[in-house]
Each structure stands twice: as structure tokens, then as C-alpha cells.
PDB file of all heavy atoms in Angstrom:
ATOM      1  N   SER A   1     120.093 151.135  48.263  1.00  0.00           N
ATOM      2  CA  SER A   1     119.426 152.197  49.015  1.00  0.00           C
ATOM      3  C   SER A   1     118.018 151.802  49.455  1.00  0.00           C
ATOM      4  O   SER A   1     117.560 152.175  50.537  1.00  0.00           O
ATOM      5  CB  SER A   1     119.378 153.492  48.191  1.00  0.00           C
ATOM      6  OG  SER A   1     118.720 153.274  46.959  1.00  0.00           O
ATOM      7  N   THR A   2     117.342 151.014  48.608  1.00  0.00           N
ATOM      8  CA  THR A   2     115.998 150.554  48.975  1.00  0.00           C
ATOM      9  C   THR A   2     116.049 149.625  50.173  1.00  0.00           C
ATOM     10  O   THR A   2     115.248 149.732  51.112  1.00  0.00           O
ATOM     11  CB  THR A   2     115.334 149.832  47.784  1.00  0.00           C
ATOM     12  OG1 THR A   2     115.244 150.723  46.674  1.00  0.00           O
ATOM     13  CG2 THR A   2     113.945 149.350  48.158  1.00  0.00           C
ATOM     14  N   LEU A   3     117.036 148.710  50.161  1.00  0.00           N
ATOM     15  CA  LEU A   3     117.191 147.784  51.281  1.00  0.00           C
ATOM     16  C   LEU A   3     117.602 148.531  52.551  1.00  0.00           C
ATOM     17  O   LEU A   3     117.122 148.204  53.647  1.00  0.00           O
ATOM     18  CB  LEU A   3     118.219 146.713  50.934  1.00  0.00           C
ATOM     19  CG  LEU A   3     118.465 145.628  51.973  1.00  0.00           C
ATOM     20  CD1 LEU A   3     117.171 144.909  52.331  1.00  0.00           C
ATOM     21  CD2 LEU A   3     119.510 144.631  51.478  1.00  0.00           C
ATOM     22  N   LEU A   4     118.477 149.515  52.400  1.00  0.00           N
ATOM     23  CA  LEU A   4     118.847 150.344  53.553  1.00  0.00           C
ATOM     24  C   LEU A   4     117.612 150.918  54.215  1.00  0.00           C
ATOM     25  O   LEU A   4     117.438 150.847  55.437  1.00  0.00           O
ATOM     26  CB  LEU A   4     119.771 151.482  53.117  1.00  0.00           C
ATOM     27  CG  LEU A   4     121.264 151.237  52.999  1.00  0.00           C
ATOM     28  CD1 LEU A   4     121.947 152.476  52.428  1.00  0.00           C
ATOM     29  CD2 LEU A   4     121.871 150.881  54.343  1.00  0.00           C
ATOM     30  N   SER A   5     116.748 151.494  53.399  1.00  0.00           N
ATOM     31  CA  SER A   5     115.529 152.117  53.923  1.00  0.00           C
ATOM     32  C   SER A   5     114.594 151.084  54.533  1.00  0.00           C
ATOM     33  O   SER A   5     114.022 151.305  55.613  1.00  0.00           O
ATOM     34  CB  SER A   5     114.821 152.868  52.791  1.00  0.00           C
ATOM     35  OG  SER A   5     113.620 153.442  53.243  1.00  0.00           O
ATOM     36  N   GLN A   6     114.440 149.939  53.868  1.00  0.00           N
ATOM     37  CA  GLN A   6     113.548 148.892  54.379  1.00  0.00           C
ATOM     38  C   GLN A   6     113.979 148.404  55.754  1.00  0.00           C
ATOM     39  O   GLN A   6     113.142 148.098  56.611  1.00  0.00           O
ATOM     40  CB  GLN A   6     113.508 147.729  53.398  1.00  0.00           C
ATOM     41  CG  GLN A   6     112.760 148.015  52.111  1.00  0.00           C
ATOM     42  CD  GLN A   6     112.848 146.864  51.122  1.00  0.00           C
ATOM     43  OE1 GLN A   6     113.650 145.934  51.301  1.00  0.00           O
ATOM     44  NE2 GLN A   6     112.039 146.900  50.071  1.00  0.00           N
ATOM     45  N   LEU A   7     115.287 148.336  55.968  1.00  0.00           N
ATOM     46  CA  LEU A   7     115.799 147.832  57.242  1.00  0.00           C
ATOM     47  C   LEU A   7     115.940 148.926  58.295  1.00  0.00           C
ATOM     48  O   LEU A   7     116.276 148.638  59.444  1.00  0.00           O
ATOM     49  CB  LEU A   7     117.148 147.140  57.021  1.00  0.00           C
ATOM     50  CG  LEU A   7     117.115 145.864  56.184  1.00  0.00           C
ATOM     51  CD1 LEU A   7     118.524 145.293  56.004  1.00  0.00           C
ATOM     52  CD2 LEU A   7     116.207 144.813  56.807  1.00  0.00           C
ATOM     53  N   GLY A   8     115.711 150.162  57.890  1.00  0.00           N
ATOM     54  CA  GLY A   8     115.746 151.260  58.858  1.00  0.00           C
ATOM     55  C   GLY A   8     117.105 151.902  59.036  1.00  0.00           C
ATOM     56  O   GLY A   8     117.329 152.613  60.014  1.00  0.00           O
ATOM     57  N   PHE A   9     118.020 151.682  58.084  1.00  0.00           N
ATOM     58  CA  PHE A   9     119.336 152.315  58.131  1.00  0.00           C
ATOM     59  C   PHE A   9     119.310 153.626  57.344  1.00  0.00           C
ATOM     60  O   PHE A   9     118.460 153.823  56.466  1.00  0.00           O
ATOM     61  CB  PHE A   9     120.412 151.410  57.533  1.00  0.00           C
ATOM     62  CG  PHE A   9     120.708 150.174  58.326  1.00  0.00           C
ATOM     63  CD1 PHE A   9     120.464 148.913  57.798  1.00  0.00           C
ATOM     64  CD2 PHE A   9     121.238 150.263  59.608  1.00  0.00           C
ATOM     65  CE1 PHE A   9     120.751 147.768  58.517  1.00  0.00           C
ATOM     66  CE2 PHE A   9     121.522 149.124  60.340  1.00  0.00           C
ATOM     67  CZ  PHE A   9     121.276 147.873  59.795  1.00  0.00           C
ATOM     68  N   SER A  10     120.260 154.496  57.642  1.00  0.00           N
ATOM     69  CA  SER A  10     120.437 155.715  56.863  1.00  0.00           C
ATOM     70  C   SER A  10     121.712 155.591  56.038  1.00  0.00           C
ATOM     71  O   SER A  10     122.555 154.725  56.294  1.00  0.00           O
ATOM     72  CB  SER A  10     120.524 156.934  57.772  1.00  0.00           C
ATOM     73  OG  SER A  10     121.772 156.974  58.447  1.00  0.00           O
ATOM     74  N   GLU A  11     121.860 156.468  55.058  1.00  0.00           N
ATOM     75  CA  GLU A  11     123.025 156.439  54.172  1.00  0.00           C
ATOM     76  C   GLU A  11     124.325 156.712  54.934  1.00  0.00           C
ATOM     77  O   GLU A  11     125.412 156.325  54.492  1.00  0.00           O
ATOM     78  CB  GLU A  11     122.851 157.468  53.049  1.00  0.00           C
ATOM     79  CG  GLU A  11     121.666 157.218  52.139  1.00  0.00           C
ATOM     80  CD  GLU A  11     121.896 156.108  51.138  1.00  0.00           C
ATOM     81  OE1 GLU A  11     123.051 155.638  51.031  1.00  0.00           O
ATOM     82  OE2 GLU A  11     120.923 155.692  50.477  1.00  0.00           O
ATOM     83  N   THR A  12     124.233 157.392  56.075  1.00  0.00           N
ATOM     84  CA  THR A  12     125.439 157.768  56.824  1.00  0.00           C
ATOM     85  C   THR A  12     125.811 156.767  57.910  1.00  0.00           C
ATOM     86  O   THR A  12     126.832 156.930  58.571  1.00  0.00           O
ATOM     87  CB  THR A  12     125.244 159.149  57.465  1.00  0.00           C
ATOM     88  OG1 THR A  12     124.091 159.115  58.327  1.00  0.00           O
ATOM     89  CG2 THR A  12     125.055 160.228  56.402  1.00  0.00           C
ATOM     90  N   ASP A  13     125.004 155.735  58.092  1.00  0.00           N
ATOM     91  CA  ASP A  13     125.296 154.732  59.120  1.00  0.00           C
ATOM     92  C   ASP A  13     126.520 153.897  58.735  1.00  0.00           C
ATOM     93  O   ASP A  13     126.714 153.561  57.571  1.00  0.00           O
ATOM     94  CB  ASP A  13     124.105 153.802  59.332  1.00  0.00           C
ATOM     95  CG  ASP A  13     122.985 154.444  60.120  1.00  0.00           C
ATOM     96  OD1 ASP A  13     123.259 155.383  60.877  1.00  0.00           O
ATOM     97  OD2 ASP A  13     121.825 154.004  59.959  1.00  0.00           O
ATOM     98  N   MET A  14     127.325 153.590  59.723  1.00  0.00           N
ATOM     99  CA  MET A  14     128.420 152.621  59.565  1.00  0.00           C
ATOM    100  C   MET A  14     127.871 151.274  60.037  1.00  0.00           C
ATOM    101  O   MET A  14     127.607 151.082  61.234  1.00  0.00           O
ATOM    102  CB  MET A  14     129.618 153.032  60.409  1.00  0.00           C
ATOM    103  CG  MET A  14     130.756 152.034  60.469  1.00  0.00           C
ATOM    104  SD  MET A  14     131.638 151.778  58.920  1.00  0.00           S
ATOM    105  CE  MET A  14     132.236 153.437  58.585  1.00  0.00           C
ATOM    106  N   ILE A  15     127.674 150.344  59.116  1.00  0.00           N
ATOM    107  CA  ILE A  15     126.980 149.092  59.424  1.00  0.00           C
ATOM    108  C   ILE A  15     127.984 147.973  59.661  1.00  0.00           C
ATOM    109  O   ILE A  15     128.832 147.677  58.818  1.00  0.00           O
ATOM    110  CB  ILE A  15     126.021 148.710  58.283  1.00  0.00           C
ATOM    111  CG1 ILE A  15     124.988 149.822  58.080  1.00  0.00           C
ATOM    112  CG2 ILE A  15     125.330 147.379  58.583  1.00  0.00           C
ATOM    113  CD1 ILE A  15     124.077 149.599  56.886  1.00  0.00           C
ATOM    114  N   VAL A  16     127.864 147.350  60.835  1.00  0.00           N
ATOM    115  CA  VAL A  16     128.708 146.218  61.217  1.00  0.00           C
ATOM    116  C   VAL A  16     127.814 144.988  61.307  1.00  0.00           C
ATOM    117  O   VAL A  16     126.833 144.982  62.052  1.00  0.00           O
ATOM    118  CB  VAL A  16     129.407 146.465  62.569  1.00  0.00           C
ATOM    119  CG1 VAL A  16     130.292 145.282  62.935  1.00  0.00           C
ATOM    120  CG2 VAL A  16     130.216 147.760  62.527  1.00  0.00           C
ATOM    121  N   SER A  17     128.144 143.951  60.541  1.00  0.00           N
ATOM    122  CA  SER A  17     127.269 142.783  60.432  1.00  0.00           C
ATOM    123  C   SER A  17     127.924 141.526  60.974  1.00  0.00           C
ATOM    124  O   SER A  17     129.116 141.288  60.772  1.00  0.00           O
ATOM    125  CB  SER A  17     126.881 142.570  58.967  1.00  0.00           C
ATOM    126  OG  SER A  17     126.080 141.404  58.817  1.00  0.00           O
ATOM    127  N   TYR A  18     127.099 140.712  61.642  1.00  0.00           N
ATOM    128  CA  TYR A  18     127.531 139.391  62.100  1.00  0.00           C
ATOM    129  C   TYR A  18     126.660 138.329  61.437  1.00  0.00           C
ATOM    130  O   TYR A  18     125.504 138.128  61.818  1.00  0.00           O
ATOM    131  CB  TYR A  18     127.418 139.285  63.619  1.00  0.00           C
ATOM    132  CG  TYR A  18     127.625 137.869  64.157  1.00  0.00           C
ATOM    133  CD1 TYR A  18     128.771 137.146  63.855  1.00  0.00           C
ATOM    134  CD2 TYR A  18     126.665 137.258  64.968  1.00  0.00           C
ATOM    135  CE1 TYR A  18     128.965 135.860  64.331  1.00  0.00           C
ATOM    136  CE2 TYR A  18     126.850 135.972  65.466  1.00  0.00           C
ATOM    137  CZ  TYR A  18     127.996 135.278  65.139  1.00  0.00           C
ATOM    138  OH  TYR A  18     128.193 134.004  65.607  1.00  0.00           O
ATOM    139  N   PRO A  19     127.168 137.622  60.427  1.00  0.00           N
ATOM    140  CA  PRO A  19     126.398 136.577  59.734  1.00  0.00           C
ATOM    141  C   PRO A  19     126.621 135.211  60.365  1.00  0.00           C
ATOM    142  O   PRO A  19     127.071 134.268  59.710  1.00  0.00           O
ATOM    143  CB  PRO A  19     126.961 136.640  58.305  1.00  0.00           C
ATOM    144  CG  PRO A  19     128.397 137.040  58.510  1.00  0.00           C
ATOM    145  CD  PRO A  19     128.442 137.900  59.750  1.00  0.00           C
ATOM    146  N   GLY A  20     126.320 135.108  61.649  1.00  0.00           N
ATOM    147  CA  GLY A  20     126.578 133.861  62.365  1.00  0.00           C
ATOM    148  C   GLY A  20     125.317 133.209  62.882  1.00  0.00           C
ATOM    149  O   GLY A  20     124.334 133.066  62.159  1.00  0.00           O
ATOM    150  N   GLU A  21     125.337 132.798  64.141  1.00  0.00           N
ATOM    151  CA  GLU A  21     124.189 132.147  64.758  1.00  0.00           C
ATOM    152  C   GLU A  21     123.940 132.742  66.135  1.00  0.00           C
ATOM    153  O   GLU A  21     124.860 133.227  66.791  1.00  0.00           O
ATOM    154  CB  GLU A  21     124.407 130.642  64.868  1.00  0.00           C
ATOM    155  CG  GLU A  21     124.559 129.952  63.521  1.00  0.00           C
ATOM    156  CD  GLU A  21     124.506 128.432  63.641  1.00  0.00           C
ATOM    157  OE1 GLU A  21     123.870 127.930  64.601  1.00  0.00           O
ATOM    158  OE2 GLU A  21     125.086 127.758  62.780  1.00  0.00           O
ATOM    159  N   PHE A  22     122.698 132.669  66.589  1.00  0.00           N
ATOM    160  CA  PHE A  22     122.344 133.249  67.872  1.00  0.00           C
ATOM    161  C   PHE A  22     122.970 132.504  69.049  1.00  0.00           C
ATOM    162  O   PHE A  22     123.512 133.131  69.960  1.00  0.00           O
ATOM    163  CB  PHE A  22     120.815 133.259  68.047  1.00  0.00           C
ATOM    164  CG  PHE A  22     120.129 134.395  67.348  1.00  0.00           C
ATOM    165  CD1 PHE A  22     119.417 134.184  66.183  1.00  0.00           C
ATOM    166  CD2 PHE A  22     120.203 135.684  67.854  1.00  0.00           C
ATOM    167  CE1 PHE A  22     118.782 135.227  65.539  1.00  0.00           C
ATOM    168  CE2 PHE A  22     119.583 136.734  67.217  1.00  0.00           C
ATOM    169  CZ  PHE A  22     118.866 136.508  66.052  1.00  0.00           C
ATOM    170  N   VAL A  23     122.884 131.174  69.040  1.00  0.00           N
ATOM    171  CA  VAL A  23     123.310 130.397  70.203  1.00  0.00           C
ATOM    172  C   VAL A  23     124.643 129.700  69.973  1.00  0.00           C
ATOM    173  O   VAL A  23     125.567 129.807  70.781  1.00  0.00           O
ATOM    174  CB  VAL A  23     122.228 129.374  70.600  1.00  0.00           C
ATOM    175  CG1 VAL A  23     122.728 128.479  71.722  1.00  0.00           C
ATOM    176  CG2 VAL A  23     120.956 130.108  71.032  1.00  0.00           C
ATOM    177  N   ARG A  24     124.744 128.973  68.857  1.00  0.00           N
ATOM    178  CA  ARG A  24     126.003 128.289  68.578  1.00  0.00           C
ATOM    179  C   ARG A  24     127.088 129.303  68.234  1.00  0.00           C
ATOM    180  O   ARG A  24     126.818 130.450  67.941  1.00  0.00           O
ATOM    181  CB  ARG A  24     125.818 127.306  67.425  1.00  0.00           C
ATOM    182  CG  ARG A  24     124.867 126.167  67.760  1.00  0.00           C
ATOM    183  CD  ARG A  24     124.631 125.275  66.563  1.00  0.00           C
ATOM    184  NE  ARG A  24     125.789 124.464  66.235  1.00  0.00           N
ATOM    185  CZ  ARG A  24     125.803 123.571  65.249  1.00  0.00           C
ATOM    186  NH1 ARG A  24     124.733 123.379  64.505  1.00  0.00           N
ATOM    187  NH2 ARG A  24     126.889 122.858  64.998  1.00  0.00           N
TER     188      ARG A  24
END
């Protein structure tokens, strides 16, 4: 919950993440 707040997310957000690279 602390990290959620630090990154600006709310508890109700559905978070989709891409752990890749910007260009490659």
C-alpha cells in the first residue's frame, strides 16, 4: 500500500505492467 501511494496509484486501480525496454 505504501508503494501504491508513492507511485500515485489507488487501491481500486487495475494495474497493467510491462517490464521490458523502451526501444528494444
Side-chain angles (χ1 to χ4, degrees):
S1 57
T2 301
L3 182 57
L4 275 175
S5 178
Q6 288 175 348
L7 294 178
F9 292 116
S10 73
E11 298 283 351
T12 58
D13 284 336
M14 173 67 60
I15 301 174
V16 181
S17 177
Y18 170 55
E21 297 191 27
F22 279 105
V23 175
R24 295 176 72 178

